[in-house]
Amino acid sequence: MPGEAKPDFSKWHGMDRNAIKWGPVIDETKCVGCGFCVVQCSERRNVFGYDEQKRKAVVLDPENCMVGCNNCQVACLWDAISFPDASGIRDLAKQLVESGKAKEELEERLKKNPGLKLELPP
Amino acid sequence: MSKTWHGVERASYVWYPKIDYSKCTGCGLCLLTCGNDVFRWSDQKGLPVVANPGSCVMGCTTCAKLCPEDAISFPDDPKHFLKQVIIKEKVFLTVKKELKDRLDKHPDHRVSAEDVEAWKKAEAGERSARRG
């Protein structure tokens, strides 16, 4: 595809993104072409394209889809978007915790950005 | 400038994650996955804190879906919640404009379904070629 360099979403917490089953599927028979999904998806990830002749949204970059996000599905009034069951990604999340990867990333994030720390009143 | 969601004043609606601390084990995945700066971290307690509820994107429940302990909840029935907002606020007028702006800014996203099919076929071909 043409265009400038895009952000790299090829990894999800060290895992290959394209090995993770998570992304929208559009039922073309239900899509009315309102375009909500296109703009509900963040501009950085920009998973959707849009066919102005047919007035249909199309899934253009499914691997840009943030693992766990289904905002587009939630916003679609015509129920034209489906996602895989979330149990698969929750299992992956459990793996991240069990392997210590989540802890490692959290420590790194807090070190890099100490402003994320906030103490609660006792 | 106040935050908006497709033209809707974000602060008019209550949408944010609630943490059940009786379940939370402090793994930090919620903070790590949120792209909107909703969470902060208490070192003292080793727990996440919902510090910026108004930054949470309406309809997003990513943190809750990933939470290994199922410790995060959102308003019941997110789809119904958004539907009420969308209809009440006539959001589609804004969405139409946003769609045009998005496609103008990213012209490679103005596509035909046939193009997409062709790309998929080409990609599948590449993959099988790589596998040998």
Side-chain angles (χ1 to χ4, degrees):
Chain A
M1 260 185 305
E4 73 282 16
K6 288 174 178 173
D8 182 12
F9 297 116
S10 64
K11 294 279 181 186
W12 185 74
H13 302 288
M15 299 179 191
D16 270 336
R17 175 61 184 88
N18 60 19
I20 300 171
K21 205 171 162 257
W22 186 264
V25 175
I26 301 173
D27 181 341
E28 221 187 286
T29 64
K30 290 182 178 175
C31 175
V32 300
C34 72
F36 210 135
C37 54
V38 181
V39 296
Q40 176 75 338
C41 187
S42 75
E43 194 175 341
R44 275 183 78 234
R45 293 180 178 269
N46 219 5
V47 166
F48 296 93
Y50 191 79
D51 180 342
E52 288 174 312
Q53 272 85 49
K54 282 185 161 179
R55 287 185 47 82
K56 300 279 178 196
V58 291
V59 177
L60 201 56
D61 296 309
E63 284 159 14
N64 283 6
C65 178
M66 180 160 94
V67 176
C69 184
N70 68 335
N71 285 359
C72 54
Q73 178 186 29
V74 174
C76 178
L77 297 190
W78 289 271
D79 290 331
I81 298 179
S82 59
F83 269 81
D85 189 89
S87 61
I89 55 167
R90 184 168 280 181
D91 287 344
L92 294 178
K94 284 179 183 164
Q95 282 175 32
L96 289 176
V97 174
E98 280 158 16
S99 69
K101 175 83 175 152
K103 190 166 188 274
E104 194 184 295
E105 281 189 26
L106 179 67
E107 280 169 2
E108 202 178 305
R109 178 80 67 92
L110 294 173
K111 204 171 151 189
K112 232 188 250 172
N113 187 357
L116 286 172
K117 291 184 189 180
L118 172 85
E119 286 317 324
L120 298 165
Chain B
M1 210 177 66
S2 63
K3 284 199 176 75
T4 57
W5 180 80
H6 307 295
V8 177
E9 198 62 42
R10 177 60 186 81
S12 325
Y13 292 93
V14 178
W15 177 275
Y16 57 84
K18 282 181 192 148
I19 302 172
D20 179 345
Y21 286 108
S22 71
K23 291 182 180 174
C24 176
T25 59
C27 74
L29 269 185
C30 52
L31 184 148
L32 288 173
T33 203
C34 180
N36 290 287
D37 201 32
V38 170
F39 296 92
R40 290 286 177 274
W41 190 259
S42 163
D43 259 346
Q44 244 166 42
K45 304 205 175 193
L47 294 170
V49 184
V50 177
N52 294 320
S55 294
C56 180
V57 174
M58 288 212 285
C60 187
T61 59
T62 303
C63 57
K65 283 198 227 69
L66 291 182
C67 176
E69 308 303 328
D70 201 13
I72 298 178
S73 61
F74 277 90
D76 289 339
D77 198 346
K79 242 181 131 61
H80 179 75
F81 185 100
L82 282 202
K83 189 176 179 177
Q84 300 305 306
V85 179
I86 291 166
I87 291 168
K88 182 167 178 276
E89 305 273 0
K90 302 183 172 72
V91 166
F92 283 107
L93 297 173
T94 311
V95 165
K96 199 178 169 191
K97 188 183 175 304
E98 287 174 341
L99 177 64
K100 188 188 177 296
D101 290 348
R102 177 79 67 103
L103 296 175
D104 285 348
K105 201 165 161 194
H106 302 273
D108 53 327
H109 284 247
R110 198 169 253 140
V111 297
S112 74
E114 286 78 11
D115 289 343
V116 177
E117 284 311 309
W119 289 327
K120 275 184 194 159
K121 270 184 198 154
E123 258 176 40
E126 263 173 44
R127 272 185 206 135
S128 60
R130 242 180 277 138
R131 274 187 224 111

